[in-house]
DNA sequence: ATGGTCGGGGACCGA
């Protein structure tokens, strides 16, 4: 079972990229973030014609999440308890017995800003939900754009980024708290090349200079993680014309479907 | 060599 995640930075602009990528990668599940698409405008027919079903939670201009899957998604959630949030950043679904939680974590702008406080509160409420929901679903994947660099290995310049947004102690602790519920960062289960990033700033030719961050993660529950055979970042679509600033990430699990 | 959205200029958000 191949499970992927991609922040597409507007599905309208990136639809052809998504279709091209689905065609060659053939994931069973693809979680999208930053679709920036109202539900009534979601390209359901085009996705269906590509062989995928889809569920989504969108809004105008900002945020928006979706889950594409070859098999049917059930038990859809778009919100978690105690988080009354108009921002569409959360989408949970069960597919082939695997609970999938797609997250577009709050950016946070700057440490100690109002948005930073919202980021930490948002993470706390989502973590509370995962803790409860995981008890009912052994095979569980939390994936998406986390907007957190877990360790200095996930940052091109840890000195410059020290204690800044994405790298603050409170953000890293929040991510560790999710991992401590029994999740594994599948990417780090395998030996990886150094300087491997999932996001590169559009500015300054940063992709060609390989200056970036690893902020797009696929976390798997213990029962799934022990069957993870591969977890990679596919940088290729970042080199395509008019790309998303994020690359897709992919994890493969050897499990009964 | 800053992109996307909304809207029709430029502000806002992003990471």
């Amino acid at each position: 079972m191949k499970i992927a995640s991609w922040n597409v930075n507007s599905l309208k602009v990136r639809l052809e990229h998504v279709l091209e990528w689905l065609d060659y990668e053939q994931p069973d599940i693809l979680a999208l973030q930053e679709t920036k698409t109202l539900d009534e405008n979601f390209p359901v027919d085009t996705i269906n014609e590509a062989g995928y079903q889809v569920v989504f939670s969108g809004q105008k201009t900002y945020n928006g999440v979706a889950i594409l899957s070859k098999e049917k998604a059930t038990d859809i959630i778009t919100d978690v308890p105690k988080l009354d949030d108009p921002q569409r950043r959360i989408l949970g679904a069960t597919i082939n017995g695997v609970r999938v939680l797609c997250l577009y974590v709050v950016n946070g702008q700057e440490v100690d800003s109002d948005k930073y406080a919202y980021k930490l509160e948002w993470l706390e409420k989502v973590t509370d939900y995962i803790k409860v929901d995981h008890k009912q679903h052994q095979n569980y994947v939390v994936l998406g754009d986390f907007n957190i660099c877990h360790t200095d290995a996930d940052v091109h310049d840890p000195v410059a980024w020290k204690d800044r947004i994405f790298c603050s102690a409170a953000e890293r602790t929040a991510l560790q708290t999710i991992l401590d519920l029994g999740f594994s960062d599948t990417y780090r289960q395998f030996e990886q090349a150094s300087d491997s990033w999932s996001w590169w700033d559009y500015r300054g030719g940063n992709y060609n200079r390989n200056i970036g961050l690893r902020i797009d993660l696929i976390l798997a529950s213990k029962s799934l993680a022990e069957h993870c055979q591969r977890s990679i970042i596919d940088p290729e679509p970042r080199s395509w014309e008019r790309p998303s600033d994020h690359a897709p990430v992919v994890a493969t699990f050897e499990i009964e479907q």
Side-chain angles (χ1 to χ4, degrees), chain A residues 1-124:
Chain A
M1 188 178 209
K2 190 184 277 191
I3 302 179
S5 176
W6 195 0
N7 179 324
V8 289
N9 188 18
S10 169
L11 183 57
K12 187 179 179 184
V13 174
R14 234 64 69 186
L15 185 56
E16 290 305 317
H17 282 202
V18 170
L19 295 172
E20 171 73 18
W21 190 79
L22 286 172
D23 189 50
Y24 80 67
E25 192 63 31
Q26 291 290 317
D28 295 285
I29 296 167
L30 172 61
L32 300 179
Q33 302 86 40
E34 284 208 272
T35 55
K36 301 186 177 179
T37 303
L38 282 167
D39 290 350
E40 56 259 46
N41 297 332
F42 201 93
V44 177
D45 293 343
T46 308
I47 299 289
N48 288 347
E49 285 160 18
Y52 287 85
Q53 307 188 36
V54 64
V55 293
F56 39 82
S57 177
Q59 67 180 90
K60 201 176 182 181
T61 310
Y62 301 120
N63 309 309
V65 281
I67 299 175
L68 285 59
S69 58
K70 289 192 171 177
E71 301 297 328
K72 188 176 171 61
T74 61
D75 302 299
I76 316 298
I77 65 105
T78 59
D79 291 277
V80 298
K82 295 178 182 170
L83 194 65
D84 184 17
D85 192 355
Q87 300 191 23
R88 303 291 81 199
R89 299 175 172 276
I90 298 169
L91 186 59
T94 302
I95 301 155
N96 281 338
V98 176
R99 189 66 177 158
V100 177
L101 186 63
C102 168
L103 300 179
Y104 174 46
V105 175
V106 176
N107 176 295
Q109 195 171 52
E110 193 179 340
V111 172
D112 294 335
S113 66
D114 289 348
K115 287 176 184 173
Y116 180 76
Y118 164 56
K119 181 178 195 173
L120 295 179
E121 191 205 344
W122 188 95
L123 283 162
E124 191 179 309

Side-chain angles (χ1 to χ4, degrees), chain A residues 6-7 9 14 17 21 24 197-212 233-248:
Chain A
W6 195 0
N7 179 324
N9 188 18
R14 234 64 69 186
H17 282 202
W21 190 79
Y24 80 67
W197 322 120
S198 66
W199 172 85
W200 302 258
D201 200 315
Y202 285 118
R203 296 171 289 188
N206 276 12
Y207 178 68
N208 289 325
R209 297 198 290 156
N210 196 31
I211 293 173
I233 300 166
D234 179 5
E236 191 180 315
R238 184 63 178 78
S239 70
W240 294 348
E241 193 177 339
R242 205 180 182 193
S244 168
D245 44 356
H246 294 252

Side-chain angles (χ1 to χ4, degrees), chain A residues 160-183:
Chain A
W161 282 83
K162 184 174 165 56
D163 297 331
R164 286 176 54 199
I165 195 69
F166 289 43
C167 298
S168 71
E171 289 166 275
R172 286 179 168 178
T173 299
L175 175 51
Q176 187 60 49
T177 302
I178 296 175
L179 293 167
D180 289 345
L181 295 176
F183 289 87

